Structure formats: C-alpha cells, structure tokens
Amino acid sequence: MKSLYPTYDVIVVGAGHAGSEAAGAAAEIGAKTLLITMNLDAIAKMSCNPAIGGIAKGQLVREIDALGGLTGIVADKSAVQFRMLNTSKGPAMWSPRCQSDRALYSKTMREELEKKDNLYFRQDNVVDVLTTNDGKRVTGVKTSTGQSFEAQSVILTTGTFGNGLIHIGETNFGGGRSGERASVGISGALEDLGFEVGRLKTGTPPRIDGRSINLDKLEIQYGDEDPAPFSFLTDSLPFQEEQLTCWMGDTNEEVHDVLRSGFDRSPMFNGTIESTGPRYCPSIEDKINRFSEKDGHQLFLEPEGWNTYEMYLNGFSTSLPEDVQYKALRTIPGFEEAVMLRPGYAIEYDYFPPYQIRRSMETKITEGLFFAGQINGTTGYEEAACQGLMAGINAARKVQGDEEFILKRSEAYIGVLIDDLITKGTEEPYRMFTSRAEHRILLRQDNADLRLTELGHKIGLASEERFERYKTKNEAINKVHDLIADYTVYPEKMDPMLEEQGTSTLSQPVKAKTLIPRPQLSIYNLLEADDELNQKVEAITTDEDVLDQVEIQIKYAGYIEKEFEMVEEMRKQEDTLIPDSLNYNKINSLSAEGKEKMERIKPETLGQASRISGVSPSDISVLMVYLNN
C-alpha cells in the first residue's frame, strides 16, 4: 500500500545527540529530511550528566562545530559553567568542558533544528526498516501507528532505546530512559536482514535535591575566570550574572560497607545483567569491588540548570536497590540529610558491532541504511553527535549523487573514532581519549576550525559567515607569524623581562621567533617588553585566539613538523583502496587469522587493514603485493 506521506530524501530515527546532528546536517546540505522521535519534547535530552565536552570529548565538539554542526552552538547557549581541562599539560591535551542547563540544552537544540527549512518532524515509534525484497537497499521505515514513510536514505540513532531494559536492584522493566518506554522491533528487523546484534550496559547516578546538601563539607569548584566558548561563532556567553559552581566530595569505607551490603541484590553481581558496561566510567559498586584497596572515590556534585535545585552526583552511578542507594548516599560527608529525587539505574540495550558499517557510517549489508551513536557501541553525547553529523552528511550526499565525505585519522578525532570502531571493534561502550589519537598534537581543540571549516564549507554545511571568519582568522595568523619570524628584538628591551621570567638574557639581537620556544615565555611577554612589536601586531589583530595559535605553532614547531612527516608516510597506505569484492580466502599467503579478520571487517583501505587486531605486518605486505598485481 502506498504511503499517505510524501517521500523524503533522508529519514532520521531517534532525536538524541546523534539524531539531532544527523537531521540538522542532512537538512542543511539540502536533503528533504524527516526526523522521527518517540517524544518531541525530549530532543537531545541529556539523559546522563548535564555536561558537554571533557577529555578528548571537547575536541570532538570543536570539530563538530568547525564543520558546521550544532552541538557547540547549543552548548554555549545553554551553559552554566565553563572549564578548560588539562591546562597544566601541553596544548594537545587541553580539553574544553561545560556544565549545561539540562532543560535549556534540549529546548535550544529543538529551536536550532526548527530553523532548518528542509527538516520535518514526526512523533512516533519506528518498529521496522523497509527494504527491497532482497534486503540490499533501504526504502523507508514503518512505525507503530502502522504508517510507512519512504526515503532513499535512513539513519538509525536508537541510543539506549533498542530493547532497553532498566535495572534498579532486583527490579527491572523495559525502558529507553527512566520514565520513557523502550523501542521494540527494529533489532529484530535488522537481524532478519543479516545484521549481528549484541548487548551493552550503561548507567546513571541518583539525582539529588541540592537544598538538602551541606555544601560546607564539600570542596567548591569554580568555572574559569575567562571562559572560552565551544563554538567558533560564539562572541559572548549568555551567563545570567555569574557561572554556577560545582562541588567535590568523597566516599569513604563506611559508604563502601553500606554499598557492599546490597551486593547480593545487585543485578551486576547476581547474574541479572550479563552485558558489558563502560570500563572508564564504572558504577560505584564496580569501583569498590575492582579497587577494594582504595578507601575512597571522588564525587562531583553538578547543577542541572539555572532554575532548578536538582543536582547530578557524578561518580556515583549505580543499579543497587533503592534502599541501599539511599542509605549509602546519606553516609557520604555532607549528604547526611540528602533527599534523593530519582534513584540511579543501569540500562541494557541492543547495539550492532560496528564492523558492519563503512567509514561513511553506511551499513555494509543494506545500501542507504546508516547507523550512528550508541547503536554502534559508543558511549557519550559527543561520540554520538559526531557520528550523527557524519551520517547526516553522507546520507544526504548519497541521495544527491556526491562522493562520500570521509575524515582520516590524521584529520580529526572524528576520523579516529570511526576508524577505531570499524577496525578494532568494541565489546564495551567506546569512549574517546586523547591517547587514542596518534597525531593528537595536530588534532588540538584550538585549531579545529583551521583543520575542518574549509571542508565543511565545501560540502555545504559550514555557513558563509563561518567560512569568512575562518579566512579572516587564518590570514591574521599567517601575518602575525611572519611578523614574529622577521622581527628583530634587542637586549636592552628584552633583558629586563627575561630576567623577571627566570630565563637567560640576550648577548646580541635575535629574531623574536627564537624566544617563544622557551618554556618560561609566551608571546604576550614579548609584546609587553617591546612596544613597537606590540603596535605592529595590534595593527593586524587584537584577537587572543590568533595570538595563542601563533604561539603554539612556533613553540611546538618541531613536534608539529615531525607529525606531518609521519602523516605523509602513512598517506600512501590510507589512500590505497581495497575492492569490496576482494575474497581474502583466495590469497594463500595470508595468515589464517588475517584472512578471517579481514573477510569479516572488509577494510576499505590498506591503512585500515593494518590496524585490525590480528592482522600482522606480513599480512599487509602480502596484501600490498596482491593489490599491485
């Protein structure tokens, strides 16, 4: 029966962080897009902690923004506190993070999406994926109301809703988040198409009435005095008067003893939960079980927004029975009178091992079908959002007959994440870390716009305003860099400053560029010491982002140059494509494990093949010879 509704170019299923970015990108590029979600009032809902960014996650958000995505803009508009993490380390490790107003974030994302001319909404539950008779090409989706919607590309971003099962102690019930029903049907439909399905687990802590906490017993944590926004388009942050504060506390042995008293009723320990949770964000009961030698674990009390007293207890994720949660909570110093608004819980959900997708996020089994977010085995808003962005871009480009848009490992953390998922797979929720990126000195949060905005503009996602800002900034960086490289400084001007900063003085005039690599100095020290240099720089720009970028480029020039050399060495492998039809079992010289792993994953390039666990260097040499013949 023909659908009642018009045909769309792209349908996005799910409106979490992946779905929001996917729908926004596809519509912005020009595809007629339908976003189907079970609850239009929960678009981009922060189901776990009320924060965006963090270690490596902040880099992902900056990259999303540089390409023209929405997460950075929405984070800035709904932020209550900003902090730059890891500033005691080198700039490759700096990571922005903000606390968000949970309700305002969701509201703002919906407002941003509603500005998209090509984007349409539908509140419904998708239960089936429609395909051609052979299952090789997607044609649309079917919902629980019995309606069919046709499209050339479909993006599934089901999050934790796919057969979601919530656990609180010995109680469990179906749900995608607390208070929301699970989505049932899609997993079965995908299995019928030949997809492998697995189960993962994540969790969340109890929410607390902030008025009931004795904050005097906790350590206060302020935001940065001069906060840096996420978006390269944000000129000022909309804080009402001042940033909200967070607080830090700790568990102790008494708290641990209370928690242990409920282990016999814990779904984690009594066999009720069999799936794997995130290793790097374990529940509190998992932490005290695995690290029994520790007598305390750090907790962070985080505000949920400007106009609510509800607070999030980061570090206390749990699925223990509610009575145990409550008693343990009230044993924490400062929480003796704590009122619990919502108990913590664990949730199990379906995911599809990501060797089944391509670098474009399109599935290998069904053409036109894309996966993004937790359906691929990741955890975190930021990991989901960047996948959604890439899926939205490529779903739209596929409809428009354009080439796939792929980011390499050397170009973006987004490229690292997608490549890791496909080549290494994941048996636990995947979380991004700076250590996962071998070229992290090139992939800094501060230069995401310089790396990616031109690419985003080329594909029609980054706006003209964003592109003009990028060009202006890039031009200023080059001019200041050239000025610093050519400008001569003299001992009589520099020596007083050099002595004050605790570094050796000059015996003769030198180029200003030669002083900046000294660890005691910054570009600002030179500008303060030499008024003529300062005036010349101010004639070009007063933008501190430009000056910071010049300083980083000069100070770390040697490391950056080595990284570029490594990238160039790897480029040939990354650019060597492997035909989809290649039968590895017919290449006799490959190892048995190499054949099995590559036949299963079907790497798209020689470089990708080289990163598959179990594929040896000799296998790559054999494959290289085979491809060249």
Side-chain angles (χ1 to χ4, degrees):
M1 184 177 72
K2 185 170 177 59
S3 171
L4 294 172
Y5 298 93
T7 298
Y8 294 89
D9 295 322
V10 177
I11 291 176
V12 179
V13 179
H17 300 271
S20 296
E21 286 290 358
E28 185 66 30
I29 288 174
K32 184 179 180 182
T33 304
L34 175 66
L35 177 59
I36 305 179
T37 175
M38 296 168 66
N39 185 358
L40 283 170
D41 295 325
I43 288 175
K45 185 175 181 179
M46 294 179 133
S47 53
C48 200
N49 62 319
I52 291 291
I55 305 300
K57 293 169 176 282
Q59 280 85 334
L60 290 174
V61 177
R62 282 283 173 93
E63 291 178 352
I64 290 167
D65 182 74
L67 286 166
L70 297 171
T71 300
I73 292 170
V74 174
D76 288 347
K77 290 183 176 181
S78 58
V80 300
Q81 186 197 83
F82 268 93
R83 294 181 68 228
M84 186 67 74
L85 308 182
N86 274 348
T87 53
S88 62
K89 301 178 181 179
M93 306 295 286
W94 298 356
S95 300
R97 184 182 190 269
C98 78
Q99 291 294 138
S100 300
D101 183 309
R102 183 190 299 277
L104 184 57
Y105 187 95
S106 179
K107 176 177 178 289
T108 305
M109 180 64 81
R110 178 167 177 170
E111 290 172 352
E112 292 295 323
L113 291 174
E114 288 184 339
K115 294 176 185 177
K116 307 290 183 184
D117 292 335
N118 294 313
L119 182 56
Y120 302 85
F121 298 84
R122 166 83 179 194
Q123 182 167 293
D124 212 335
N125 179 27
V126 172
V127 296
D128 199 2
V129 175
L130 304 178
T131 66
T132 52
N133 290 334
D134 58 8
K136 292 184 177 179
R137 184 74 175 82
V138 76
T139 60
V141 299
K142 185 177 180 180
T143 70
S144 59
T145 58
Q147 299 303 315
S148 295
F149 295 87
E150 298 174 356
Q152 298 179 62
S153 291
V154 171
I155 306 172
L156 297 183
T157 68
T158 50
T160 60
F161 282 77
N163 287 328
L165 185 64
I166 291 174
H167 299 269
I168 304 175
E170 296 168 298
T171 302
N172 59 69
F173 50 91
R177 286 187 291 246
S178 180
E180 298 180 56
R181 69 186 190 277
S183 177
V184 179
I186 290 183
S187 293
L190 294 175
E191 283 190 276
D192 289 344
L193 290 171
F195 287 92
E196 178 189 346
V197 64
R199 295 282 278 177
L200 290 176
K201 175 193 82 75
T202 190
T204 192
R207 279 20 174 226
I208 312 299
D209 184 332
R211 300 171 300 178
S212 67
I213 306 303
N214 183 355
L215 298 175
D216 291 337
K217 292 188 177 182
L218 304 180
E219 180 183 347
I220 198 165
Q221 187 178 59
Y222 295 103
D224 290 343
E225 289 186 11
D226 186 20
F230 269 115
S231 178
F232 294 98
L233 290 181
T234 300
D235 293 319
S236 60
L237 292 165
F239 296 121
Q240 295 182 353
E241 291 183 2
E242 58 183 18
Q243 299 180 66
L244 296 183
T245 54
C246 298
W247 288 266
M248 293 182 289
D250 294 278
T251 62
N252 54 38
E253 273 300 327
E254 186 180 359
V255 178
H256 296 180
D257 287 341
V258 174
L259 292 167
R260 290 188 188 100
S261 72
F263 277 11
D264 61 328
R265 293 187 288 151
S266 166
M268 281 190 57
F269 299 129
N270 64 18
T272 306
I273 293 178
E274 297 180 353
S275 52
T276 307
R279 183 191 324 175
Y280 303 105
C281 189
S283 65
I284 187 64
E285 57 263 38
D286 194 24
K287 281 191 280 193
I288 65 173
N289 184 56
R290 285 166 51 191
F291 309 107
S292 56
E293 74 282 359
K294 295 195 67 172
D295 56 11
H297 295 280
Q298 195 165 49
L299 304 173
F300 296 88
L301 189 63
E302 303 174 348
E304 295 264 355
W306 293 109
N307 302 308
T308 178
Y309 52 72
E310 185 170 352
M311 304 194 79
Y312 179 93
L313 188 57
N314 199 337
F316 205 79
S317 175
T318 181
S319 59
L320 285 165
E322 186 170 345
D323 62 308
V324 178
Q325 293 186 36
Y326 187 61
K327 185 177 179 182
L329 188 67
R330 285 195 153 207
T331 312
I332 300 169
F335 288 74
E336 293 84 358
E337 303 297 326
V339 173
M340 187 165 67
L341 301 180
R342 317 183 202 190
Y345 62 87
I347 181 168
E348 290 185 284
Y349 56 94
D350 288 346
Y351 87 108
F352 292 82
Y355 73 85
Q356 299 170 106
I357 61 172
R358 304 181 189 280
R359 293 178 297 167
S360 64
M361 312 307 292
E362 185 178 20
T363 65
K364 296 174 180 177
I365 292 176
T366 302
E367 186 181 354
L369 179 63
F370 295 75
F371 291 169
Q374 287 177 288
I375 193 173
N376 289 327
T378 59
T379 183
Y381 310 143
E382 304 83 2
E383 288 88 345
C386 71
Q387 292 175 71
L389 184 79
M390 297 300 288
I393 290 169
N394 283 309
R397 287 176 69 82
K398 186 174 186 70
V399 171
Q400 295 165 350
D402 295 323
E403 291 183 356
E404 295 175 337
F405 178 70
I406 305 296
L407 290 173
K408 299 175 183 176
R409 296 182 72 91
S410 58
E411 292 177 315
Y413 270 86
I414 296 173
V416 173
L417 181 148
I418 294 171
D419 186 71
D420 275 356
L421 289 175
I422 296 169
T423 59
K424 299 176 182 177
T426 185
E427 295 180 353
E428 63 183 54
Y430 176 101
R431 178 180 176 181
M432 178 52 73
F433 291 101
T434 51
S435 59
R436 296 191 189 274
E438 59 270 45
H439 304 300
R440 57 184 174 271
I441 197 164
L442 300 181
L443 308 182
R444 306 182 309 276
Q445 56 83 29
D446 60 85
N447 70 352
D449 57 339
L450 305 180
R451 290 185 278 119
L452 299 174
T453 296
E454 191 168 0
L455 291 174
H457 183 259
K458 185 177 180 181
I459 62 174
L461 186 57
S463 66
E464 197 64 36
E465 177 193 357
R466 184 184 292 276
F467 186 55
E468 289 302 320
R469 284 196 181 204
Y470 149 75
K471 288 197 298 183
T472 300
K473 178 180 176 180
N474 196 38
E475 182 180 346
I477 289 169
N478 291 333
K479 286 182 177 179
V480 173
H481 190 286
D482 290 345
L483 172 63
I484 298 292
D486 293 338
Y487 188 86
T488 300
V489 293
Y490 295 88
E492 55 267 29
K493 286 188 177 181
M494 289 293 121
D495 283 355
M497 178 272 293
L498 295 175
E499 288 181 355
E500 183 180 346
Q501 297 301 319
T503 183
S504 57
T505 56
L506 300 179
S507 59
Q508 61 185 20
V510 297
K511 297 297 183 184
K513 182 178 179 180
T514 64
L515 293 180
I516 290 177
R518 295 190 187 187
Q520 303 92 337
L521 300 182
S522 73
I523 191 172
Y524 299 101
N525 295 135
L526 272 65
L527 298 181
E528 290 172 5
D530 192 318
D531 188 58
E532 182 183 349
L533 176 60
N534 186 51
Q535 290 179 21
K536 287 179 179 292
V537 169
E538 285 186 344
I540 298 171
T541 183
T542 57
D543 187 344
E544 289 188 2
D545 287 343
V546 170
L547 301 183
D548 292 342
Q549 191 60 224
V550 172
E551 178 176 325
I552 290 170
Q553 290 181 6
I554 294 174
K555 195 177 281 286
Y556 298 94
Y559 298 102
I560 292 171
E561 186 176 346
K562 287 180 182 178
E563 287 289 338
F564 276 123
E565 290 173 0
M566 288 175 59
V567 169
E568 187 56 32
E569 286 178 13
M570 296 176 64
R571 185 183 60 80
K572 291 182 180 178
Q573 282 194 353
E574 295 298 332
D575 290 344
T576 302
L577 299 176
I578 301 175
D580 284 345
S581 58
L582 182 62
N583 186 339
Y584 296 92
N585 292 315
K586 291 184 177 180
I587 307 176
N588 295 326
S589 299
L590 289 175
S591 68
E593 186 177 8
K595 289 179 183 178
E596 187 271 327
K597 291 288 181 68
M598 287 191 281
E599 189 64 39
R600 180 171 182 258
I601 293 173
K602 291 286 186 184
E604 296 172 61
T605 69
L606 197 62
Q608 203 175 52
S610 71
R611 291 186 290 274
I612 298 174
S613 175
V615 174
S616 67
S618 61
D619 287 329
I620 297 302
S621 297
V622 168
L623 187 56
M624 191 182 303
V625 171
Y626 185 88
L627 292 172
N628 288 333
N629 288 338

